[in-house]
């Protein structure tokens, strides 16, 4: 069967009339393959797109970690911006776009890897697309070299504490004290395993090891720099995936807010925005996870010269800040999880806050929330796509809303 690809769906699959879904293709390409329901399998490109490039990573074919390595950077940038423009159009909104910023190759400082102990050793990598198969990725072009350098230590951890029957998940974050590793799916801890793991943490220079939620070794502080502050995040806490992405998001948030006296940071995490912003303004940071608010609070108190930083642990889905509580602030940052912030946005819409820096990892919920703000009289001044998940279909953005 031969088809011509119309467009890419939000998971990066090519869509031909039918619809027929084809992976690894680009709009305009003529493709021949074997039909299987609404999919075309084993696609052979008959007419390639001018946007097609040779995947820069030798693992691209086997590994499901990246979906768009076969597309040029310019194509991916335009596509991600279009995804946001389409989501906005779905809500009847348009906005000027600021130039997109993409994180460089080799910059992912946080990744969740899968691992398995086998008869012949240990496999660590990402899953192949929609598959149980693990692809080994020693030359991954996405991960920071610091994470790749941790692979021998990770393999030793899996050898010591993985069973042959269960796959392990390894969340690795590069910190100033060394890789901070959190493992789930390992063998139950007993005293011999604890000793083994602690020895491996020392030998391989990890900062901290968390095993199924329990901290089993702390060799050095898993310190992160946020502005002038040093944050010690709880294990598994949210962190922007690349330092470059974090800086691009922060620059756009600063630009959106402009000079302010006192702002509120909603869904603040451990202070990615709150702590650097506090170098120039008072910040009230609100976050649902008590461990993260405590980390932010401690970091602020240990950093001389910051403006006033206050923190609050609060479930912003169930108990959003009310318009009255928003009165003291001349600006707001809001960076919710993928579900968006319907309840809190409703309260912002009813508030008098003049400017909002909205950060989002989901264009659809962002557009929904932006619409409720524009319905209440806000203007959507601009949107900037920040591509910190290079070669993936994931889209992040910052927008300025004001009135
Ligand atoms: C996308 S992260 C952003 C964190 C922070 N702004 C950053 O850039 O590091 C979303 C944050 O919302 C928090 N969160 C999730 N659900 C929440 C809720 N119902 N109420 C308050 N915070 C919540 C998560 O713990 C997480 O820290």
């Amino acid at each position: 069967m031969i088809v011509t690809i119309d467009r890419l769906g939000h998971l990066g699959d090519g869509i031909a009339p039918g619809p027929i879904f084809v992976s690894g293709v680009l709009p305009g390409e003529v493709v021949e393959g074997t039909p299987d329901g609404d999919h075309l399998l084993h696609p052979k490109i008959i007419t390639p797109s001018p946007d097609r490039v040779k995947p820069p990573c030798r693992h691209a074919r086997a590994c499901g970690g990246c979906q768009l390595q076969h597309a040029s950077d310019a194509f991916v940038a335009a596509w991600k911006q279009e995804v946001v423009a389409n989501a906005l159009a779905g809500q009847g909104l348009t906005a000027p776009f600021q130039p997109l910023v993409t994180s460089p190759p080799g910059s992912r400082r946080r990744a969740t890897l899968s691992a398995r102990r086998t008869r012949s050793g240990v496999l660590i990598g990402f899953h192949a697309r929609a598959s149980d198969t693990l692809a080994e990725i020693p030359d991954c072009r996405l991960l920071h070299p610091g994470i790749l350098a941790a692979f021998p230590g990770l393999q030793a951890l899996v050898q010591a504490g993985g069973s042959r029957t269960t796959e392990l998940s390894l969340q690795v974050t590069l910190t100033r004290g060394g890789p901070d590793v959190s493992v789930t799916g390992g063998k139950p801890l007993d005293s011999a395993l604890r000793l083994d793991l602690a020895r491996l943490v020392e030998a391989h220079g990890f900062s901290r090891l968390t095993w199924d939620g329990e901290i089993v070794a702390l060799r050095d502080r898993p310190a992160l720099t946020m502005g002038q502050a040093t944050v010690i995040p709880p294990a598994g806490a949210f962190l922007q995936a690349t330092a470059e992405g974090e800086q691009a998001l922060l620059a756009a948030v600063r630009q959106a807010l402009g000079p302010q006296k006192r702002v509120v940071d909603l869904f603040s995490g451990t202070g990615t925005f709150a702590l650097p912003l506090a170098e120039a303004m008072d910040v009230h940071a609100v976050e649902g996870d008590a461990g993260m608010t405590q980390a932010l609070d401690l970091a602020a108190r240990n950093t001389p010269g910051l403006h006033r930083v206050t923190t609050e642990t609060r479930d912003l889905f169930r108990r959003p800040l009310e318009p009255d509580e928003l009165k003291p602030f001349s600006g707001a940052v809001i960076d919710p999880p993928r579900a968006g912030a319907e309840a809190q946005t409703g309260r912002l819409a009813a508030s008098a806050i003049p400017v909002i820096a909205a950060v989002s990892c989901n264009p659809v919920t962002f557009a929904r929330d932006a619409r409720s703000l524009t319905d209440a009289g806000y203007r959507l001044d601009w949107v900037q796509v920040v591509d910190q998940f290079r070669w993936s279909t994931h889209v992040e953005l910052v927008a300025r809303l004001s009135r």
Side-chain angles (χ1 to χ4, degrees):
M1 181 183 198
I2 295 180
V3 298
T4 302
I5 306 302
D6 274 345
R7 62 195 168 89
L8 294 193
H10 68 286
L11 297 177
D13 269 343
I15 303 179
I20 293 182
F21 299 92
V22 194
S23 62
V25 295
L26 293 173
E29 289 189 325
V30 179
V31 187
E32 182 170 20
T34 315
D36 178 29
D38 58 0
H39 281 73
L40 194 72
L41 304 181
H42 318 298
K44 224 179 79 200
I45 316 288
I46 298 175
T47 314
S49 157
D51 293 312
R52 176 167 286 277
V53 297
K54 182 172 180 291
C57 177
R58 75 175 174 93
H59 308 302
R61 205 167 247 287
C63 172
C66 294
Q67 298 88 43
L68 293 171
Q69 286 221 355
H70 58 289
S72 68
D73 283 359
F75 174 87
V76 176
W79 180 74
K80 291 198 176 188
Q81 198 156 298
E82 194 183 301
V83 168
V84 178
N86 288 342
L88 287 172
Q91 295 289 346
L93 298 174
T94 55
F97 279 88
Q98 303 215 101
L100 175 144
V101 186
T102 305
S103 292
S107 64
R108 276 288 287 278
R109 62 174 170 180
R110 133 90 45 116
T112 302
L113 299 156
S114 296
R116 198 174 291 149
R117 227 185 100 195
T118 68
R119 220 176 275 272
S120 51
V122 170
L123 288 178
I124 293 186
F126 290 125
H127 279 271
R129 200 158 188 268
S131 152
D132 283 348
T133 310
L134 264 187
E136 288 194 281
I137 47 164
D139 295 326
C140 173
R141 297 291 316 278
L142 190 69
L143 297 179
H144 190 287
I147 293 193
L148 292 174
F151 271 38
L154 297 173
Q155 272 157 344
L157 290 179
V158 175
Q159 186 68 44
S163 77
R164 289 243 183 93
T165 46
T166 323
E167 190 171 292
L168 287 84
S169 162
L170 315 172
Q171 189 191 65
V172 188
T173 306
L174 292 182
T175 74
R176 290 190 338 230
D180 179 17
V181 182
S182 179
V183 177
T184 54
K187 283 195 225 164
L189 286 165
D190 58 21
S191 47
L193 180 55
R194 278 172 202 279
L195 274 176
D196 267 2
L197 295 175
R199 192 177 46 76
L200 291 171
V201 165
E202 278 297 323
H204 292 279
F206 295 144
S207 53
R208 171 171 65 182
L209 175 64
T210 309
W211 198 262
D212 278 322
E214 185 185 331
I215 296 174
V216 290
L218 182 65
R219 191 192 59 87
D220 199 351
R221 297 187 320 157
L224 297 168
T225 305
M226 294 186 181
Q228 288 161 18
T230 290
V231 175
I232 311 297
F238 177 88
L239 179 70
Q240 300 295 348
T242 70
E244 292 82 355
E246 180 179 287
Q247 287 312 309
L249 293 169
L250 174 61
V253 165
R254 281 193 162 124
Q255 183 193 347
L257 289 177
Q260 298 288 343
K261 275 209 154 54
R262 192 166 183 212
V263 299
V264 63
D265 181 5
L266 300 160
F267 303 92
S268 64
T270 57
T272 301
F273 305 124
L275 290 165
L277 288 175
E279 289 162 21
M281 59 192 81
D282 291 355
V283 182
H284 181 57
V286 190
E287 156 66 43
D289 182 286
M292 288 202 238
T293 4
Q294 278 159 18
L296 198 171
D297 186 57
L298 191 65
R301 281 189 284 122
N302 287 335
T303 310
L306 291 187
H307 285 238
R308 187 154 178 260
V309 177
T310 49
T311 59
E312 185 177 354
T313 305
R314 179 157 165 172
D315 184 333
L316 293 171
F317 288 0
R318 290 164 187 239
R319 255 182 7 101
L321 263 67
E322 297 295 336
D324 258 9
E325 296 174 283
L326 293 167
K327 269 190 188 146
F329 308 110
S330 50
V333 181
I334 184 163
D335 182 14
R338 288 190 69 73
E342 202 164 16
Q344 185 59 74
T345 306
R347 306 314 196 274
L348 282 169
S351 79
I353 286 192
V355 59
I356 300 172
V359 184
S360 170
C361 56
N362 183 341
V364 172
T365 55
F366 162 71
R368 177 200 68 197
D369 293 347
R371 174 63 192 260
S372 79
L373 291 169
T374 55
D375 282 350
Y378 281 91
R379 278 183 316 273
L380 179 54
D381 297 317
W382 50 256
V383 177
Q384 178 172 19
V385 175
V386 173
D387 187 8
Q388 70 173 331
F389 291 91
R390 162 180 271 278
W391 295 316
S392 86
T393 54
H394 197 91
V395 179
E396 306 219 8
L397 62 92
V398 181
R400 181 180 202 268
L401 292 118
S402 66
R403 65 159 146 213

